[in-house]
Amino acid sequence: AAWVPAADPASWWGTRAASRSEEPLRAPGVPVALSASALTSLAQCPAKWFLESEAGGEQASTQAQGFGNVVHALADRVSRTELDPEAPGPTADPPPDDAALVEELMAHVDEVWAQLPFRTPWSGGRERDEVRKALVRFLDFRARAGARTVVATEHPVRAQVTLPDGQHVALHGYADRLEVDSDGRVVVIDLKTTKYPPGADEIGHHPQLGLYQLAVENGALEDVVPGAEPGGAELWQLRHDVRGTLKVQRQEPQEADDAGVRPIELQLMAAATAVRDEVLPARPGKHCDHCAFTVLCPAKNSGTVLS
């Protein structure tokens, strides 16, 4: 080895023990801050979460993100006029019907559509049609018979929570839409524009929906609905419908297991422990199909620097 330093196994990637930073990811004694997206990412693949959130591995804006931003902005404009008809919205006077409102909203789409990154002109035209369909689904569903009362949109959700294992976490995020049901409970709604919604078997323990409900339970919405109790949480899948009606994936208030712990609490304890202990393995799954870090991933490529 003295004659050929590179032959020393101690110098080879993948043969050394895992290293640990001199500075911890999170300061001891300070609650671990977790957003809905961070919790989801940590549950899917801790290594991906680290590369995105801690190592600065940001991705360029994509066509899908542009689509989602446009639809979210327009849905929020519509929702704000529900809260206050005098507030700035799609129009000063309500249009005669939703068809006219759709055309007005699509005029706003056309103002920005050319700025979005599409690979081909025809794909841009196809996605513009999908925007129209998404807006129609949203408008139809919000005006359905028996609709709940909307009380806020794009509202911050923040709460300090002590978990069953004694760990402290700071939950934070934004709710696209908050509604109150007939029993006075708050339903948190997240508008989704993904092409691939989660499976029905995933909704009961969906981390984002669980986090929102736990935050409501711990006083996150005192400024909107004092003493609010969670009444479930929903994903409104704006790209999809079921028998002509917007596809809604609902999570009921979670129930505890035999040990008295709910799924969201188990997820938060695991996430906080992973961050504290800095144990962030690559965890393969269907999310790998759209991951920007495949070339670095030890689960996909043997012998990389992350092994």
Side-chain angles (χ1 to χ4, degrees):
W3 291 98
V4 187
D8 185 354
S11 69
W12 297 348
W13 286 113
T15 62
R16 299 178 181 179
S19 61
R20 189 178 184 88
S21 173
E22 294 181 3
E23 294 292 330
L25 281 178
R26 298 293 181 270
V30 176
V32 175
L34 290 169
S35 66
S37 60
L39 180 59
T40 300
S41 187
L42 279 162
Q44 285 184 340
C45 180
K48 181 174 181 288
W49 168 83
F50 176 81
L51 291 170
E52 286 179 336
S53 301
E54 303 297 315
E58 296 182 0
Q59 300 183 53
S61 180
T62 65
Q63 169 185 319
Q65 289 170 326
F67 183 105
N69 290 339
V70 168
V71 173
H72 273 78
L74 294 176
D76 185 51
R77 288 171 67 99
V78 172
S79 297
R80 288 183 184 278
T81 61
E82 290 182 80
L83 293 168
D84 181 4
E86 302 301 321
T91 183
D93 299 309
D97 53 43
D98 278 351
L101 178 54
V102 169
E103 294 306 318
E104 186 174 347
L105 294 173
M106 289 306 296
H108 291 294
V109 172
D110 290 336
E111 291 177 5
V112 300
W113 202 244
Q115 302 173 31
L116 301 184
F118 292 103
R119 293 182 179 178
T120 62
W122 67 264
S123 63
R126 181 190 61 191
E127 286 297 271
R128 182 184 179 279
D129 291 341
E130 289 299 319
V131 169
R132 178 188 291 275
K133 293 176 184 177
L135 292 172
V136 169
R137 292 185 188 102
F138 173 75
L139 292 172
D140 286 349
F141 192 73
R142 76 181 179 97
R144 70 194 183 280
R148 298 178 295 255
T149 302
V150 59
V151 294
T153 68
E154 291 294 330
H155 194 277
V157 176
R158 293 184 173 84
Q160 299 273 343
V161 176
T162 301
L163 299 173
D165 64 355
Q167 293 191 84
H168 301 284
V169 291
L171 309 182
H172 64 95
Y174 281 86
D176 289 334
R177 188 176 170 98
L178 298 173
E179 296 182 348
V180 174
D181 66 15
S182 58
D183 295 323
R185 303 178 306 168
V186 172
V187 179
V188 183
I189 294 157
D190 195 66
L191 305 180
K192 294 294 189 185
T193 57
T194 179
K195 294 181 181 179
Y196 309 104
D201 59 336
E202 300 175 60
I203 296 301
H205 56 269
H206 192 278
Q208 181 178 20
L209 299 181
L211 182 147
Y212 284 146
Q213 294 206 72
L214 186 63
V216 171
E217 183 181 295
N218 282 269
L221 303 178
E222 285 297 310
D223 59 327
V224 180
V225 185
E229 295 183 2
E234 297 174 348
L235 303 178
W236 288 12
Q237 299 290 352
L238 300 183
R239 277 186 181 263
H240 304 270
D241 54 39
V242 177
R243 292 184 292 277
T245 301
L246 175 71
K247 180 181 179 70
V248 174
Q249 297 182 294
R250 176 175 171 82
Q251 182 185 92
E252 297 293 344
Q254 293 186 354
E255 296 184 2
D257 60 17
D258 293 340
V261 182
R262 291 170 290 185
I264 182 58
E265 293 169 325
L266 290 170
Q267 291 163 341
L268 287 168
M269 288 188 293
T273 298
V275 173
R276 290 284 190 208
D277 294 348
E278 301 181 21
V279 178
L280 305 166
R283 188 173 296 151
K286 62 182 180 180
H287 50 273
C288 297
D289 295 341
H290 309 286
C291 181
F293 306 104
T294 304
V295 295
L296 298 174
C297 182
K300 294 295 181 179
N301 297 280
S302 60
T304 70
V305 296
L306 292 184
S307 295

